[in-house]
Amino acid sequence: LLRPPGAQDEEKFQAKCVRCQECVRACLTECLEPAGREYGAAAMLSPRFNPALAKCEYELCGRACAAACPVGAIRDVPDEEVRIGTAAINRSKCIAWAKGLDCLVCQERCAYQAIDFDQRGRPSVIVDKCTGCGACQNTCVTCPDPAIVVYPSDDVPTNGNGKRNRNG
């Protein structure tokens, strides 16, 4: 699950969150939603960040989700500490990687300069700069599914040899 910015580690978050939905209601971009059954009974109805709905605008909204949380499960953390997740590019879906065509949408939408391009114009994620805000995923033009997806930082896909592959 992707959690709101400032959510504590999953175990502490689950223990504190009372599933009141105040953070979901307070979210100005409406990028938060209650987690469904597919995440298990323990997570059900807890807040989930869904980049398919919208980018998380935590740097502009005054941390509305943290302010709304009555139990402190979501904390107001400084911008430089926000890590919702990490984006990864599926090269077989990415227009620039798979077809060799120019596409700059993910880089244009990234406010953190976390997308770089190689000499052939193919994107890659700069992990240390990626906050997991979801702007890249939300605006990717690849259909029906985006070629760039935000994953929880511990769940970024591997490249087959056990190493994390931030670029699919």
Side-chain angles (χ1 to χ4, degrees), residues 51 55 105-106 108-110 134-142 146 148:
K55 168 190 175 185
V105 174
C106 58
E108 289 173 346
R109 298 299 191 266
C110 182
C136 56
Q137 178 177 336
N138 184 264
T139 58
C140 180
V141 297
T142 306
I148 187 165

Side-chain angles (χ1 to χ4, degrees), residues 120-141:
R120 292 174 154 177
R122 300 176 302 190
S124 62
V125 176
I126 304 169
V127 176
D128 294 340
K129 291 184 176 184
C130 181
T131 65
C133 74
C136 56
Q137 178 177 336
N138 184 264
T139 58
C140 180
V141 297

